[in-house]
């Protein structure tokens, strides 16, 4: 790890100004991903701007029943918050499914959304990687890609987004509050993260110096009947092979509405809009759930060694929807 300068921001505007002044600087929150990347030599900022003292650590209820979650909220605090557990259980479950207890105690909501892929080629500076060094190539396409993308990838990148929490937030239609050089604005989810295309080094639509200040979760009455299910190679401290965040509204055996997102399958938390549309107004049965899953996954383009993810994603989604139906 090379030497770097350190500055503690006094407020959001001064933090943004610091990165405007030093384009080689990066924000420091919990540091659970950034510090690892610095040790590996993947990230080498010349200055860290500490935003931990200025990022809100509050979870506030809005008038319509939604939530405003400060970017500085620790993951462990988010997962155990009574309102989150009651109104958006899949969000609490997704946080608890990620990392370890010690890391959740340090990691922040804002940082969780911005964590980088765990593709082994990205993390190994001795290997080419278009995400780390644009134009150098993507050896994962012909190399080790068992746990990489099956949807939305490009010839330049087949990496997946690692966050569990982001999958639940994408399903819930969260709104990300951002402070930047041009002032304050909001970015919807899905919409914050981007597919690799021919710019795989850009994980999000955020501009240089943008700082996430909060995440708004809109009110959704049937989100109380939601679940996050994660399939991984070991029982803890492992990234998703496939995951599903789903909320289901069923009345008289018919799906009135639903929200579904998939993790571990794409460069972004993948909102399953095709499956959602297919399910609305359909019978809440395993047959219809399977049909909707197949429609969503028809766009999958698996690589040589990760085709197993397609039936796995189908089965995990169908099982999750069945469980939610039986619980309603």
């Amino acid at each position: 790890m090379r030497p770097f300068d350190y500055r503690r921001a006094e407020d959001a505007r001064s933090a943004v100004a610091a990165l405007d002044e030093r384009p080689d600087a990066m924000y420091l929150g919990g540091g659970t991903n950034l510090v690892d990347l610095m040790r590996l030599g993947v990230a080498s900022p010349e200055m860290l701007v500490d935003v931990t003292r200025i990022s809100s650590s509050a979870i506030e209820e809005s008038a319509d029943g939604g939530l405003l979650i400060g970017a500085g909220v620790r993951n462990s605090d988010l997962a155990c918050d009574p309102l989150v557990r009651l109104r958006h259980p899949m969000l609490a479950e997704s946080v608890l499914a990620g990392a370890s207890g010690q890391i959740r105690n340090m990691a922040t909501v804002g940082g969780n959304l911005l964590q980088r892929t765990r593709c082994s080629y990205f993390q190994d500076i001795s290997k080419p990687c278009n995400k780390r060094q644009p134009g150098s190539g993507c050896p994962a396409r012909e190399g080790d890609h068992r746990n990489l993308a099956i949807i939305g990838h490009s010839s330049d990148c087949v990496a997946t987004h690692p966050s569990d929490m982001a999958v639940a937030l994408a399903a819930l239609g969260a709104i990300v509050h951002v402070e930047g050089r041009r002032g304050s604005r909001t970015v919807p989810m899905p919409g914050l993260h981007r597919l690799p295309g021919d710019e795989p080094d850009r994980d999000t639509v955020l501009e240089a110096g943008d700082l996430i200040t909060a995440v708004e979760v809109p009110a959704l009455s049937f989100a109380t009947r939601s679940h996050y299910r994660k399939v991984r190679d070991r029982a803890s401290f492992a990234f998703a092979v496939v995951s599903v965040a789903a909320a289901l509204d069923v009345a008289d055996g018919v799906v009135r509405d639903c929200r579904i997102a998939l993790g571990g399958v794409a460069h972004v938390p993948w909102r399953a809009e095709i499956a959602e549309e297919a399910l609305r107004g359909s019978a809440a049965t395993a047959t219809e759930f399977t049909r909707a899953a197949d429609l969503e996954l028809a766009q999958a383009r698996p690589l040589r060694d990760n085709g197993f993810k397609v039936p796995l994603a189908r089965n995990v989604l169908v099982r999750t929807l069945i469980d939610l139906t039986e619980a309603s």
Side-chain angles (χ1 to χ4, degrees):
M1 184 186 297
R2 77 179 195 183
F4 55 88
D5 296 332
Y6 171 87
R7 182 184 301 181
R8 180 177 293 168
E10 297 179 356
D11 52 37
R13 293 308 304 165
S14 68
V16 172
L19 261 69
D20 195 26
E21 173 189 331
R22 294 278 298 272
D24 53 9
M26 298 181 72
Y27 294 127
L28 174 67
T32 55
N33 184 209
L34 175 57
V35 173
D36 281 346
L37 294 178
M38 292 172 66
R39 287 171 175 162
L40 292 169
V42 175
S44 52
E46 294 189 4
M47 182 172 74
L48 293 180
V49 179
D50 189 338
V51 296
T52 55
R53 303 293 180 91
I54 65 169
S55 299
S56 171
S57 58
I59 301 175
E60 302 173 352
E61 182 180 9
S62 60
D64 64 355
L67 297 175
L68 185 66
I69 303 166
V73 171
R74 304 291 177 173
N75 286 5
S76 53
D77 293 331
L78 179 66
C80 69
D81 184 85
L83 281 178
V84 174
R85 294 170 66 89
L86 175 65
R87 297 182 182 175
H88 306 93
M90 70 169 157
L91 179 54
E93 292 165 359
S94 70
V95 174
L96 290 173
S100 65
Q102 294 94 328
I103 291 177
R104 291 194 296 270
N105 287 340
M106 287 295 296
T108 62
V109 167
N112 187 296
L113 290 175
L114 299 179
Q115 60 182 299
R116 308 300 303 275
T117 183
R118 268 34 177 219
C119 174
S120 59
Y121 298 99
F122 172 72
Q123 293 187 316
D124 185 349
I125 61 173
S126 70
K127 302 290 194 301
C129 172
N130 286 324
K131 182 175 288 295
R132 178 169 30 80
Q133 187 178 359
S136 63
C138 178
R141 292 192 62 84
E142 300 299 328
D144 180 12
H145 54 240
R146 173 185 176 274
N147 202 26
L148 299 182
I150 59 172
I151 300 176
H153 53 78
S154 72
S155 60
D156 289 324
C157 184
V158 294
T160 51
H161 192 269
S163 171
D164 294 292
M165 183 186 74
V167 180
L169 290 174
L172 291 166
I175 301 166
V176 180
H177 293 239
V178 177
E179 186 75 23
R181 294 171 178 171
R182 295 181 292 171
S184 302
R185 71 183 194 281
T186 58
V187 181
M189 291 185 67
L192 173 67
H193 303 93
R194 60 183 301 279
L195 293 175
D198 59 2
E199 292 183 289
D201 52 311
R202 292 190 61 209
D203 291 346
T204 72
V205 299
L206 297 182
E207 300 172 0
D210 280 351
L211 175 67
I212 293 177
T213 57
V215 176
E216 180 182 349
V217 181
L220 185 67
S221 60
F222 64 92
T224 56
R225 295 179 298 280
S226 65
H227 182 47
Y228 183 77
R229 177 173 268 127
K230 178 179 181 178
V231 177
R232 46 191 164 181
D233 287 332
R234 58 178 184 265
S236 66
F237 201 30
F239 297 98
V241 177
V242 166
S243 66
V244 171
L248 192 64
D249 183 12
V250 175
D252 299 323
V254 175
V255 178
R256 294 193 298 192
D257 205 352
C258 59
R259 299 287 189 276
I260 302 168
L262 303 174
V265 299
H267 194 260
V268 301
W270 188 265
R271 181 71 176 265
E273 295 175 344
I274 295 173
E276 290 179 359
E277 184 61 29
L279 285 173
R280 293 186 182 104
S282 73
T285 64
T287 299
E288 290 299 310
F289 296 157
T290 302
R291 180 181 70 87
D294 285 339
L295 287 171
E296 185 67 45
L297 293 166
Q299 59 197 308
R301 297 293 182 267
L303 302 170
R304 182 193 63 238
D305 297 329
N306 66 1
F308 73 95
K309 282 193 173 191
V310 177
L312 179 60
R314 177 196 306 117
N315 294 343
V316 174
L317 174 53
V318 171
R319 182 70 258 173
T320 303
L321 294 173
I322 290 173
D323 288 349
L324 288 171
T325 300
E326 293 175 347
S328 62

